[in-house]
Structures are given as C-alpha cells and as structure tokens.
Amino acid sequence: MLQEFVQRMCSDLGIDDVPKMSPKKTALFILNPEVHVQLTELDPGVSMQAAIAPCPEKKKEDLFMLLMSANFLGQGTAGARIGLDRQEKLLTLSLGLPYELEYSAFKQHVEDFVNYLMYWRERIAKFEQEETLI
C-alpha cells in the first residue's frame, strides 16, 4: 500500500526520484533538500517521522515546556508528537496512523505533517533568538 501511495504522490507532485521501500517497509520521502520524511508501513496504516531541529543547549527547559503544551492533546501538532531522537540530539516530529487509509487521506496527512514540521522549525528558530519565553 505505502509504495503505491508514495509513487502516486510523487507523480502528483512532479517528483522524478521515487523512493523505494526497504525490506523493513520504510521509505525516505524527499520533498526538497530541507524536507525528508521517513515513512513506515504499518499493518494496517503508516507512520511518519522527520527531524525538526537540533536540540538546543540553552533555554532547554523553557523550550520543552512550549513543546509539551503543543503535544497536549495534539493541539499544536495536529495529532503528531514532538520528541527527541534516541541520542537526544534532535527534536523530531512523529505521526502514527494505525488504520486503513485511502490515498486522498494519506496525501492530506502528509501535507499536514510537512506543514507542522515547517511551522515548528520556524517557531523553534525564533524561540532560540528570543530573550524570554512568550
């Protein structure tokens, strides 16, 4: 299912380099040089994960408070979750959709996921430059 959806989305978006599924049923979907989304086929459904930004050294507690409020009931992430990678060096955005999807719903979820990814990249960059938490 996922390979078929990825091929169709690449066709819709005019992307020539269609990612191939690995034996672990994952594909790295590259929308542009800055946006890479790891897609994993679930049985049923799909999951998405992407790196937002490096975890900052300064004001980490304040940033985590902001991110926890965004994660609360998925209200600042459209149901996705902001977390850390295993090495705790990167902030990540993850979304699990453990149910059957039609292509139109899949495409909409990918679009929403990428929009929230870009929003949080910008918001974290602004946060790092702020003097105090707003």
Side-chain angles (χ1 to χ4, degrees):
M1 170 211 62
L2 182 58
Q3 182 65 44
E4 179 184 316
F5 285 177
V6 168
Q7 287 175 331
R8 189 168 169 191
M9 193 161 46
C10 286
S11 176
D12 289 352
L13 298 174
I15 297 172
D16 295 327
D17 193 17
V18 178
K20 300 285 185 247
M21 296 291 289
S22 77
K24 294 184 178 184
K25 296 187 177 187
T26 64
L28 183 62
F29 188 64
I30 301 172
L31 285 156
N32 63 44
E34 290 94 33
V35 178
H36 299 202
V37 178
Q38 182 75 37
L39 300 170
T40 303
E41 188 166 339
L42 303 176
D43 187 22
V46 64
S47 72
M48 303 173 202
Q49 185 171 15
I52 299 173
C55 188
E57 294 297 320
K58 297 178 182 175
K59 302 192 307 180
K60 191 183 285 190
E61 289 179 14
D62 290 339
L63 177 61
F64 286 177
M65 293 295 289
L66 174 68
L67 298 178
M68 284 191 309
S69 67
N71 279 342
F72 182 66
L73 301 176
Q75 57 192 351
T77 59
R81 295 160 310 281
I82 299 173
L84 291 168
D85 70 344
R86 292 180 193 255
Q87 294 79 28
E88 298 182 5
K89 301 218 183 270
L90 286 174
L91 295 167
T92 62
L93 185 65
S94 303
L95 176 65
L97 304 167
Y99 47 83
E100 292 293 328
L101 292 167
E102 292 185 11
Y103 173 72
S104 59
F106 169 78
K107 185 176 177 184
Q108 185 63 52
H109 282 295
V110 171
E111 183 178 333
D112 292 344
F113 184 84
V114 170
N115 286 337
Y116 275 93
L117 175 65
M118 300 309 295
Y119 168 79
W120 281 106
R121 283 182 178 174
E122 291 174 20
R123 181 64 185 97
I124 290 168
K126 287 178 185 175
F127 177 86
E128 289 177 330
Q129 296 178 3
E130 294 172 354
E131 289 297 319
T132 59
L133 180 63
I134 299 175

